């Protein structure tokens, strides 16, 4: 069984335009991310049996990046010194962001035309993955169209589809059987929603993302 990632849940703000946003739809509360919380990161990482650290969030990790370079400078320094693989989940596709510090970048897309933008984006030696959250507007034809565009790409290593989380925190199952079939044929990765990481939020640890909703209600 593959080791878990230690997933840092960030909140530096967001554009909040993704229609599937788990924060907007479920009432999960993510407080603003602090640089001081990184003082606890290495100790947590060493205590667990993790294969690396990933950044995702209750806001896009790359939102207004230039205002948070102190946080990222400290994070990159820790990961470099201790040889910790670092991954990024973001919807931002633009030059000038520190993509080269990440072993893998998962670009979460809503527009199929952005596939070409990701393919041409210079990310140094970082691997690039594209991820689509499947909603009620997806059809077999749309999935096949995305797959065909992905096959034409030269610089994207993986295509993933994942189910969206509903307001009651249950998982949707749009095009479920077709996505499973494509996964078994190794056309794409199909990710059914589940908690498969350990989450780090400002020094707090949990194995359930939903816990953040409960914390916000207290």
């Amino acid at each position: 069984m593959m080791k878990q990632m230690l997933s840092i849940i960030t909140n530096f703000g967001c554009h909040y335009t993704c229609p599937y946003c788990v924060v907007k739809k479920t009432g999960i509360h993510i407080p603003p991310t602090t640089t001081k919380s990184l003082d606890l990161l290495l100790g947590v990482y060493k205590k667990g049996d993790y294969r690396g650290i990933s950044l995702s969030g209750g806001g896009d990790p790359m939102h207004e990046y230039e205002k948070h370079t102190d946080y990222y400078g400290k994070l990159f320094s820790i990961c470099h010194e201790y040889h910790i693989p670092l991954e990024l989940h973001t919807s931002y596709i633009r030059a000038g962001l520190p993509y080269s510090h990440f072993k893998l970048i998962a670009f979460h897309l809503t527009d199929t035309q952005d596939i070409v933008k990701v393919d041409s984006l210079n990310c140094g030696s970082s691997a690039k993955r594209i991820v689509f959250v499947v909603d009620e507007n997806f059809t077999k034809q749309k999935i096949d169209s995305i797959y065909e565009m992905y096959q034409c790409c030269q610089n994207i290593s993986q295509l993933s589809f994942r189910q969206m989380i509903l307001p009651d925190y249950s998982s949707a199952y749009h095009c479920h059987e077709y996505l499973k079939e494509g996964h078994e044929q190794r056309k794409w990765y199909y990710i059914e929603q589940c908690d498969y990481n350990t989450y780090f939020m400002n020094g707090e640890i949990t194995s359930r993302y939903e816990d953040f909703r409960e914390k916000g209600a207290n």
Side-chain angles (χ1 to χ4, degrees), residues 13 16 29 35 40 42 60 100 113 116 149 152 159 174 190:
Y16 292 120
H29 174 70
T35 301
L40 303 171
L42 186 60
D60 196 295
S100 62
Q113 299 306 310
V116 176
M149 292 181 70
C152 294
L159 165 64
H174 304 297
Y190 174 41

Side-chain angles (χ1 to χ4, degrees), residues 8-212:
I8 300 178
I9 304 300
T10 64
N11 183 6
F12 295 118
C14 197
H15 48 73
Y16 292 120
T17 58
C18 298
Y20 54 80
C21 179
V22 66
V23 174
K24 288 190 299 184
K25 290 185 176 294
T26 66
I28 282 177
H29 174 70
I30 309 295
T33 300
T34 67
T35 301
K36 184 173 176 56
S37 66
L38 291 176
D39 292 342
L40 303 171
L41 179 65
L42 186 60
V44 170
Y45 186 83
K46 287 183 173 181
K47 286 180 181 178
D49 187 22
Y50 303 112
R51 59 186 174 89
I53 290 173
S54 70
L55 268 72
S56 54
D60 196 295
M62 290 290 104
H63 183 70
E64 297 185 335
Y65 164 74
E66 291 79 6
K67 294 182 179 180
H68 307 289
T69 53
D70 55 340
Y71 178 91
Y72 281 100
K74 188 171 182 177
L75 175 64
F76 296 151
S77 178
I78 291 169
C79 291
H80 177 74
E81 182 176 354
Y82 293 94
H83 307 287
I84 300 172
L86 190 59
E87 297 182 4
L88 171 67
H89 292 257
T90 184
S91 60
Y92 281 89
I93 310 167
R94 70 174 178 85
L97 294 178
Y99 298 122
S100 62
H101 287 275
F102 298 91
K103 180 179 180 180
L104 170 70
I105 306 155
F107 290 95
H108 292 250
L109 308 182
T110 56
D111 188 339
T112 57
Q113 299 306 310
D114 284 339
I115 296 173
V116 176
K117 295 179 183 178
V118 172
D119 190 44
S120 61
L121 184 67
N122 182 2
C123 296
S125 61
S126 305
K128 293 184 282 188
R129 174 194 298 165
I130 52 174
V131 182
F132 283 87
V133 174
V134 182
D135 62 21
E136 65 275 8
N137 298 312
F138 271 66
T139 62
K140 293 181 180 180
Q141 291 73 26
K142 181 173 181 177
I143 293 168
D144 287 342
S145 175
I146 291 172
Y147 175 63
E148 289 168 7
M149 292 181 70
Y150 160 69
Q151 282 191 301
C152 294
C153 293
Q154 301 296 314
N155 302 301
I156 299 176
S157 60
Q158 187 183 115
L159 165 64
S160 295
F161 295 97
R162 66 184 308 153
Q163 290 292 346
M164 63 187 299
I165 297 175
L166 301 174
D168 64 356
Y169 209 78
S170 64
S171 175
Y173 286 94
H174 304 297
C175 301
H176 174 68
E177 294 299 328
Y178 191 65
L179 290 167
K180 279 185 65 176
E181 180 182 322
H183 177 87
E184 291 165 358
Q185 295 172 353
R186 298 187 178 182
K187 289 183 176 181
W188 51 70
Y189 285 84
Y190 174 41
I191 306 165
E192 298 179 60
Q193 290 288 7
C194 62
D195 287 310
Y196 50 84
N197 290 324
T198 297
Y199 303 103
F200 177 98
M201 182 189 69
N202 279 348
E204 294 189 52
I205 307 299
T206 182
S207 59
R208 296 195 321 146
Y209 196 92
E210 189 177 5
D211 287 345
F212 299 130

